[in-house]
Each structure stands twice: as C-alpha cells, then as structure tokens.
Amino acid sequence: MTFARLAIGCLGWLSLLSVGVLGFGSGAPPTACDLMIPRHKNHLPQTSLPPYQLLAARGQGRVRLIIGSPDGSGYHGFFVTARDIDTGEYVGEFNNLPESQAKHVECVQTDQRWGQKLPEEQDPFYESCGETKNCFGIPDGCVEQQNCVAAVSVLVAGERYIFELRSTNNAKYVAVGLSDDRKMGDDSVVECVDGGDRVNMHMSWNNGTTNTRMATPPNAVDLISSSLVDGVISCKFSRNKLTQIQGRTFNLVEKPYFLLLARGQKVYSSGIGYHDKREAWAEPRLLAIIGRNAGAGDLLVRLHGALMLAAWIGTTSIGMLLARYYRQTWVKSQLCGNDQWFAWHRFFMFLTWSMTMAAAVLIVIELQDWSSATYHAATGLATVVLCFIQPFMAAMRPHPGAPRRILFNWLHWFVGNAAHILALVAIFFAGRLGKANLPEWIDWILVAFIVFHVVTHFFLTFAGCASDKQGSQRVNSFPMKDVHARNSMTHPDSRRDAPYAGLRKLTFGIYFIVVVLFAAAYVVITIFAPIEESWNTFYDQYLAAK
C-alpha cells in the first residue's frame, strides 16, 4: 500500500473545554469508527478549524504519524484510522503505540458511505426534546423523526417559560394556545406571523372558532429571537408563569393545560385565519413535566371521513342510478315482493342514511360541538339534514296516480340530488382541512369520479331515448313521473325488459365496479393519512422483511 492511496482520519478532544460532557474513560468505542464524529450527549460536533495537525511521513514501507498543535494546545484523547482512499476499506495496523496512553480499537468494515456526504447535523430545535424540554409537533410522532411541519417546545427557566415555535413549507403563521380542552374557544394564543421582512409576534384570543388579536399585557410575553429562512418560520419567546388574559388567570405552575398547535396561510390585521394543520395534546398536563407528548389522535375523524366517502361516493351514486334508469330492467324477477330496482335502491339508500348518521355522531363526539364555521362543516351539515329527512319523505309518498304524486317525485328528486351535490362539495373542502392530512392530488380523484359519473348519466340518458324510439313508450323514465304502478300486469310490456336492457346491465356492471374502486381508494387514503408517509413506512418494513 503506497502512501498516495492512504487516507488517515483523526478525531481529537480538546483539554480546554469548560463544559461538561459525557465521555468514555476507556476511550472512543468501536462505534466511532465509521463517521468519526463525537457524539457527546447534548453537544454537537464543532465546525471550526481544529487547532491540531496530523503529520505523516513515509519510509521503509511504513507511515509515521505525528499529532500536535502549532499553538501548543493540549488534548485529552485522539482517534486515528487508516483507509484506502478509493474503497474506504481499513488498511494496515498501528505499531509502537505509547504505552498506557493509547490502545488499539477493532474497527469492522460497516460504513457504506465512504466518499459520500456525511449525515447532516441534528436540528438544534429537537435537541434535548423529552430530556430538558417538552416538544410537540405535527404530525404525531414527528419529533422523534425530526420532520415536523409545525412544532413547539417548552422549557422552564426560573419564573418564565421559554416557548419556541417553528413551521416549514412557507407557512404564514404558526401559533400555540393554552386551553382547558382540546378544541378552540377561550384560549390564550401566541402567534408568530410572517411580516415580510421579519417575523412578528402577537398575542390573541380564541373566541369560539374565531381568533382575535389583542394588546399584549405588560410582562406577559417577550420575544427572544425569530427568523424566516428558506420557508421555515420560527420564533422563541418567554412567557410569565402567571398572566391575566381576558379576565382569566393562566397559571403555568399549578394548572395543567392542553397545548394547541396550529399553522396556516391566512393572516389578517385582526388575527390569524383558519389553520391548514392543527393538533392538540391528548390530555392536559403541567408544562414543567417532561415527557413524550402525543397528539389527541384522529381515529374518530378518520372514521367519519371513511363513512361519508363510502356513503356519498359509493352507495348513493349506485342507488340513485338504479332509481333513475333501471325501472324497466330485471322486471321478470322480484326481491321481497318488490321490483329489483326498487329493492336495491332502497337497500343502498338505507346504507347511505345509516353511514351518514353514524358519521355525524362521530364528528360531534370528536369536536364536542356541532360547527358550521368552515365550508366543509356548513355543506356537511346541510347534507346531513337533507339526508335525514329523505326517508321520511319517501315513507309518506302518495300512491302512483294520486294527484300529489308528481309533487312528491319532484321533491324526492330535488332533495336527493341536492344532498349528493352538497356532499361532493363537502368532500372537496375536506381536502383543505389540516386534520384530514389528505394529499393535494386527491382532488383529481374526485374530479375523475365526477367526470365518470356524469358521462355515465349522459350515456344512459341517450340509451333511454333510443329505447323510447324502439319501444311503445319511454320505459327508462326520470323519477318525476311514473311509467305505471309496480307489479301492475295491465300493460302488455309490464313484465318485459325495455329495449337495450343488455346494454344497460353491462353499463351498470362497469359503473358499479368503478364506483366501488373510487370509494375504496378514497377510504384507504383517508384511513391511512398521510398516505405518503404510511406507504413509505410500509415499503421500508417490506424491504426489511425480505
């Protein structure tokens, strides 16, 4: 091995360090072989130029090493390895070591990153999380992975509490609130806002779901530092242990609180707008108690979304299609004494009603309230109301041929279609809710479903027109009028399928399969949101198991 192909690395420890570190009395362990980076607890490696030199001289097939300092700085220890500069493999052995001052360390070739960029240093924000300060972030578990899109840390420093807020991805604000429960309302909020050329800190108050900016009481909070770099907004401030806000006393020493964390894009002169990401502690606790802080969880939110999606993309679409285009199809057979279209229409709409009511109950339990503050909540509430009254309207329908039957048909058609449209609008706005954690591209799945749904309706409408021309009457009627009474045998074609029945059956089979796939895809994305992270975790586990 020639000297030109030998790479020598050295790791040293200054004797002049005045801070305490966790060292190893027996020297560096074998785990230091690969990266040769000090891993002292609570201390990052220094990035300044080292005050030491490693001199190498070759001769007689050996390389002589001299470690020293031009300015006379001493050292407590050193760690030296020799590798092939091309392959990174350990080469040679060290001889003539100073007795009682140095020893051999058996390094095993495990590093596969030779010649590549070393891992980045630990983000200082996450340093000492769970040890000397509380840390909490979005999504749940991100503090351990150090990849939070929004996070807050709390450190007790005497009479004051040091809060640090940060958010990535070009958020316009990040805010933390002290609350008696997990929902908005009567909360003391401190917000850090993108002010263009600087980060501004404000205090505000949550009045229900509305945030209102307020004057900062004297000695309540003080901004320590702030920054806005590469789309990351952050600020550090101190808060007094005892503050009077809106006539209420917030005692951080004696009273446990829920921490509310939010980030968003809308900022007004009167306060911050609706958040796109939000999370709350699962339970109240004293801020001085250090530990892992899990989010409240969103199981009920996920179940709410899954039920609504299954109902309004799946069962509603299928049930309405049967009632609109299949009254004169499968007429030779009945189910429970009813025409096939009517029996299955009633079955699918019963599923819709049941899942919608269950989903509404779940979200009320989760929020402990019924809110219409957002577009999603408002359209969702309207959907639930229309869905609730629809079966009662159907139960009171007049008999076919009755004078008011046409009025019922129009009302039944209008309420059903209005509920379906409002539900799809609510699904669209659900993608903007931070709690849902849905990807941006999910809108394209909804668009694809709507296009497929509309195209199918147009196709069956034209097929019905063609059937009318061939048959003696329009057999594939719209629900505003009745072809004839069910089970009536007075019409000669009452027990025969209308023309093009095979085409309609094929269309229904395709429609059924595609709609089920759309609904299943939406439900899976909702249940396992954020889906990208869930997929990456699953894929990594799959590779590890192989």
Side-chain angles (χ1 to χ4, degrees), residues 501-528:
L503 179 62
R504 289 195 302 277
K505 293 176 182 178
L506 176 62
T507 303
F508 177 77
I510 296 173
Y511 182 84
F512 182 89
I513 294 173
V514 174
V515 166
V516 168
L517 291 176
F518 270 118
Y522 239 119
V523 168
V524 169
I525 293 172
T526 301
I527 290 293
F528 294 100

Side-chain angles (χ1 to χ4, degrees), residues 250-263:
F250 287 83
N251 190 332
L252 305 187
V253 177
E254 298 181 357
K255 184 176 180 179
Y257 291 97
F258 287 91
L259 271 190
L260 308 181
L261 176 64
R263 53 151 280 169

Side-chain angles (χ1 to χ4, degrees), residues 434-491:
K435 193 73 171 179
N437 284 318
L438 297 176
E440 294 181 359
W441 47 262
I442 201 168
D443 289 344
W444 293 108
I445 297 181
L446 183 61
V447 170
F449 163 74
I450 293 174
V451 169
F452 173 75
H453 178 75
V454 171
V455 168
T456 302
H457 274 261
F458 272 115
F459 177 79
L460 288 173
T461 298
F462 289 127
C465 293
S467 178
D468 281 349
K469 291 181 180 180
Q470 184 169 336
S472 60
Q473 64 173 356
R474 175 72 183 273
V475 295
N476 207 21
S477 65
F478 292 89
M480 284 74 79
K481 62 180 181 178
D482 296 294
V483 178
H484 47 75
R486 294 193 312 275
N487 302 327
S488 172
M489 298 299 294
T490 59
H491 194 279

Side-chain angles (χ1 to χ4, degrees), residues 44-45 86 103 213 236 283 290 303 370 403 439 459 467 532:
L44 295 176
D86 295 323
K103 70 171 186 177
R213 192 162 293 164
K236 180 185 290 188
E283 57 185 19
I290 309 300
L303 291 177
W370 188 275
F459 177 79
S467 178
E532 293 95 339

